[in-house]
Amino acid sequence: MQQEYYLGIMSGTSLDGVDIALMAFGEKTQFIASQFTPMPADLRQDLLQLISQGNSTLQRLGELDQRLALLYANTVNHFLTSHQLQPQQIRAIGCHGQTVWHAPQGNFPFTMQLGDMNLLATRTGIDVVGDFRRKDMAFGGQGAPLVPAFHQAWFYDENWATVVLNIGGISNISVLFPHQPIIGYDTGTGNALMDGWIERHLGKSYDADGQWAGSGNVRAELLTEMLKEPYFQQPPPKSTGRELFNLVWLEKTLEKTTALLGEIPPQDVQATLLEFTAQSIALALNQLETPLPRRLLVCGGGAKNGLLMARLQSLLPQWQCRPTNDEGLDADYVEAAAFAWLAYRRIHNQPSNLPSVTGAKRAVSLGAIFPAEKQA
């Protein structure tokens, strides 16, 4: 089989920027190169406002759709130039788009990602595969998480009970146990609440290495209140996002606690948020049973938070915790690599969802193809 090259683009719930990964598929699968482009501050603020408030004018929505597409296109073109690549060398781009709302429950389940794929294809001269989630939802699935199928392709090992943990804005797991159906779901918040809280109080977009959290004390009463969130009692398949775990949710939880205990110092809230992320992940993993040795492969921004990683290892003594870098895939670019793989599967019309993960009625090839209309 001829080797083909794909670009994967991901801008996740953390809204920190755009990850791009160059992958090769065919005779063998290779992670070749990657690049990160920070999200422009004005675009990030506009997206945060939209996601937190859940309403917008149609004009504002349409403009954000265009602004994101232009950001993606500029990111791709800069990547191609810096790696001395031509558009015709890339078979397709797999672009997730920016999720602004994900609501798989209710009478009319839907998910919304922004980023005009037609504009991205036109500005780069490369075919684009996008809109990955809605086909799964059309078949009764959650439309998330989609990366477990890629995790299975890259990380599965019959000698290990493997869980791949992605800690982005939201945390999600892929459970790759031999001789068991693959499952995967969102465990709860990841960095989203910690990022939002430190930005509000210190003007920083994230808590580097958990230093601010480390300066505070975990408040047991607040942690207990957070863990009462009904989402944690729901059985998988399930998925969540910033539409639940946001600063409004945090403020409501804080109100219940401070009414009894008085004001809590901001650094103590941050310490408790880090512990909340760690404990909600541990809660999910402690429900898994296996006789095999266990390994937890961590990716996403949370993999670089030393305090969070230490707490996970402490809460999960039976698990060997380490970043996905140890398995040949940079922890920062696993999701971008996954969307390159999903694009490859769509171009070749191969199934790419896992019904055991999403709850869809059957396996289907995810994504819609947006041709670049290359000139002859």
Side-chain angles (χ1 to χ4, degrees), residues 121-346:
T122 301
R123 289 297 179 99
T124 59
I126 302 170
D127 294 349
V128 173
V129 184
D131 193 11
F132 288 99
R133 298 190 184 276
R134 293 197 294 179
K135 178 60 73 70
D136 183 84
M137 294 180 75
F139 280 90
Q142 292 268 318
L146 298 184
V147 292
F150 172 69
H151 291 162
Q152 180 186 27
W154 189 283
F155 297 113
Y156 180 87
D157 187 329
E158 64 180 16
N159 298 311
W160 286 91
T162 302
V163 169
V164 182
L165 166 65
N166 174 59
I167 310 176
I170 299 297
S171 295
N172 55 67
I173 58 172
S174 301
V175 183
L176 313 176
F177 285 11
H179 315 299
Q180 293 186 27
I182 305 301
I183 62 170
Y185 58 93
D186 294 340
T187 60
T189 190
N191 301 314
L193 292 175
M194 290 188 284
D195 290 351
W197 190 251
I198 195 171
E199 185 164 22
R200 172 179 290 185
H201 289 274
L202 300 185
K204 298 180 179 179
S205 57
Y206 67 99
D207 187 4
D209 212 28
Q211 290 180 5
W212 193 41
S215 72
N217 297 304
V218 174
R219 294 299 188 98
E221 299 86 351
L222 177 58
L223 179 62
T224 299
E225 194 63 42
M226 289 175 172
L227 289 168
K228 289 179 182 177
E229 165 56 48
Y231 179 80
F232 300 120
Q233 306 307 319
Q234 292 178 27
K238 60 180 180 177
S239 53
T240 188
R242 283 181 181 267
E243 60 278 349
L244 173 60
F245 291 107
N246 53 42
L247 290 184
V248 174
W249 178 91
L250 176 58
E251 286 159 2
K252 289 178 180 177
T253 311
L254 273 169
E255 282 175 12
K256 296 176 185 176
T257 309
T258 54
L260 298 171
L261 301 174
E263 289 300 312
I264 298 174
Q267 66 270 25
D268 287 4
V269 175
Q270 187 76 353
T272 308
L273 286 172
L274 186 142
E275 186 68 13
F276 174 52
T277 294
Q279 291 221 13
S280 57
I281 292 167
L283 187 69
L285 267 64
N286 284 330
Q287 295 173 9
L288 304 174
E289 296 182 3
T290 176
L292 291 172
R294 308 172 188 212
R295 62 175 186 169
L296 180 64
L297 304 177
V298 187
C299 59
K304 294 186 288 190
N305 186 323
L307 181 57
L308 180 56
M309 290 291 286
R311 286 303 298 142
L312 283 172
Q313 186 64 83
S314 179
L315 291 166
L316 299 164
Q318 291 179 290
W319 293 78
Q320 186 184 109
C321 298
R322 59 181 193 262
T324 56
N325 301 58
D326 292 1
E327 298 298 320
L329 199 52
D330 190 316
D332 285 331
Y333 296 98
V334 173
E335 286 205 310
F339 283 94
W341 182 82
L342 285 163
Y344 164 74
R345 300 286 288 186
R346 182 66 191 91

Side-chain angles (χ1 to χ4, degrees), residues 5-8 20-24 30-34 79 85 90 340:
Y5 296 92
Y6 289 76
L7 288 174
I20 187 166
L22 175 62
M23 301 289 291
Q30 292 175 281
F31 173 73
I32 298 172
S34 57
F79 180 89
L85 292 166
I90 308 299

